[in-house]
Amino acid sequence: MLLVGSLLGMPELRLRLVRGTDSLDRPVTRLYGTELPDPARYLSGGELVLSGLLWHRTAADCEKFVASLAAAGVAALAASPPEAGELPEALVEACERHGVPLMEVPVDLSFAAITERVVLELAAERVGDAGVLLGRHRRLLTVVADGGGLSELVAAGAAELDAPCWVLACTGHVVAGPELPEATTFVREFLQADRLPKVVRGTTLLPVPARGGSRLTSWILLVSGDRTQDEVAAELASLVGVERARVVQGREIENRAAGPLLRQVLAGGDVAARIAAVGWDPDAPLRVLAASVSDWQAEQAVALVEEVLASVTSTFLVAAVGTEVYALAPSGSWTEGVRSALRALEPGLRSTRVLVGISSPVGHTGLRGAAEEASHARRLGERRTGRTCVVAGEEIALHQLLLAGVPEELRRSLRRRLLGPVLDYDAEHGSDLVGTLRVFLDCSGSWTAAAARLHVHVNTLRYRVGRVEDLLGVDLSEFTERVDLYLALQAG
């Protein structure tokens, strides 16, 4: 049996016990990583909980988090501060108060390494405890130990369970397994489920833990039939988690070059050598993606963007730079794929908004402009509705991109300066001269087309437009006057 004290005896993990010397004999039955402030609904008891404390802001946050762990009956908490330093004193006190063993994770040790070690330990334990399942467990463990990879592991699991198996990302992307037309239906049920595992349409959904603890960045193991009590299915989900941890660790290694490269892109430096250093052709066209995830920490937002991009391309770099997440990838027709992936995630977003801007394809010398285009396109999405929005540079007019780069306060000021008298007149008289002007300019100054769209006589339109000219002191037969007023209307 794996005990809390056993974890402290694993030299490769280097865990340090901070609180809980009288609880070292608690059994560990599973592992769960989370950055949720109150993860109780996802816990069933006996978990070793891993957390990077991204939820921590105040002492009250520590009390809420630890109280939820204690109520669920977890085995222990293994925590690592987001930055180098000591664990919060409020966390230590809360663990003491609620009787939750607390272990500190070295800052240079990845949660992926802990996940792999603990899951394999639990798997070996189950093999020893259930002799009837010995062969099936051992064969699955052998695939992982031999480095067979995720596809081979899922195929072996399907053979042992004598049932089709799939691994899905919450973007609707089939990570491993045969084609699955109903993928987005299963994702929606998974994201909205109160308890897991869950049977949906004769298929069992089992969670595969994710970095950051968010369901949106989780994978899902699907096994045909009711497997909610099946030890082999649970074992397969745990081993898929090991493979997932390896994938995440691989991405982290690849993305070590992302931050410096993207910062140099934004600074306008020569990045040809850096692009070549990551194994890409510096002369091939590239796209820049800019994204924001409201209410999420940078690490979680990066993980979400990685999952979205992984569903449409195998080659990309992602990093948080400032308040945005940027990605760089070889050019391709993946804009619609990004839209589809984000739509699949919407059932789990609640009040969170994910906005993405994607640049036009450019060579390495044009990457700074592409980054600005992507960032402007993302900001343009702020003015649209919906929990997710993807705006591609090719889809929007030049004036929209230019306006998106202008601060909101300046846009309001320009709109007021150019249209103020008409806005005041409409407010005082209950009219809509601004609407008339908008339609007139949208129709390129065509009297007949604008009158038809407004359902008024041409003479009525001429009177209204004349009133606008008098109020603003402009001549709308002049092209430059029309351009200024059109931009002012678009700025609102």
Side-chain angles (χ1 to χ4, degrees), residues 181-416:
E182 296 180 296
T184 54
T185 299
F186 289 119
V187 168
R188 182 178 63 252
E189 293 287 346
F190 174 81
L191 291 174
Q192 296 179 336
D194 288 330
R195 288 289 179 182
L196 293 166
K198 177 181 180 180
V199 179
V200 176
R201 297 191 179 187
T203 301
T204 303
L205 281 57
L206 298 100
V208 177
R211 177 182 62 177
S214 170
R215 280 202 193 184
L216 291 167
T217 52
S218 295
W219 283 357
I220 315 164
L221 173 65
L222 275 64
V223 183
S224 182
D226 184 349
R227 307 287 178 156
T228 53
Q229 303 300 319
D230 193 311
E231 280 284 330
V232 176
E235 181 71 27
L236 180 60
S238 295
L239 294 175
V240 169
V242 172
E243 292 300 321
R244 173 81 195 279
R246 290 177 178 173
V247 169
V248 168
Q249 204 162 26
R251 285 183 190 165
E252 289 175 347
I253 293 171
E254 292 172 357
N255 277 331
R256 286 174 184 168
L261 172 56
L262 287 165
R263 281 191 288 273
Q264 193 166 346
V265 165
L266 295 173
D270 184 2
V271 294
R274 285 188 180 272
I275 292 172
V278 299
W280 296 0
D281 180 358
D283 296 321
L286 301 167
R287 287 184 189 266
V288 178
L289 178 148
S292 64
V293 184
S294 65
D295 306 321
W296 280 37
Q297 298 296 313
E299 183 182 7
Q300 293 174 298
V302 167
L304 184 66
V305 172
E306 285 179 349
E307 287 302 310
V308 169
L309 282 174
S311 69
V312 295
T313 180
S314 59
T315 306
F316 57 87
L317 295 173
V318 181
V321 181
T323 59
E324 289 183 282
V325 175
Y326 285 91
L328 187 64
S331 177
S333 301
W334 38 262
T335 300
E336 280 306 315
V338 170
R339 282 200 180 95
S340 178
L342 289 176
R343 280 196 297 270
L345 292 169
E346 285 187 357
L349 286 173
R350 297 182 176 86
S351 61
T352 298
R353 292 198 76 202
V354 183
L355 306 177
V356 173
I358 301 175
S359 77
S360 307
V362 297
H364 69 85
T365 57
L367 282 174
R368 181 180 183 182
E372 292 175 352
E373 179 184 11
S375 185
H376 292 343
R378 183 202 62 78
R379 288 198 291 274
L380 192 62
E382 293 175 354
R383 304 167 67 185
R384 301 185 181 181
T385 59
R387 284 173 289 181
T388 64
C389 183
V390 179
V391 181
E394 301 100 321
E395 300 171 355
I396 53 182
L398 177 60
H399 73 272
Q400 290 178 306
L401 273 177
L402 294 174
L403 285 172
V406 176
E408 180 67 29
E409 185 176 346
L410 180 56
R411 287 203 302 268
R412 288 197 300 267
S413 174
L414 292 173
R415 176 180 170 84
R416 182 69 203 174

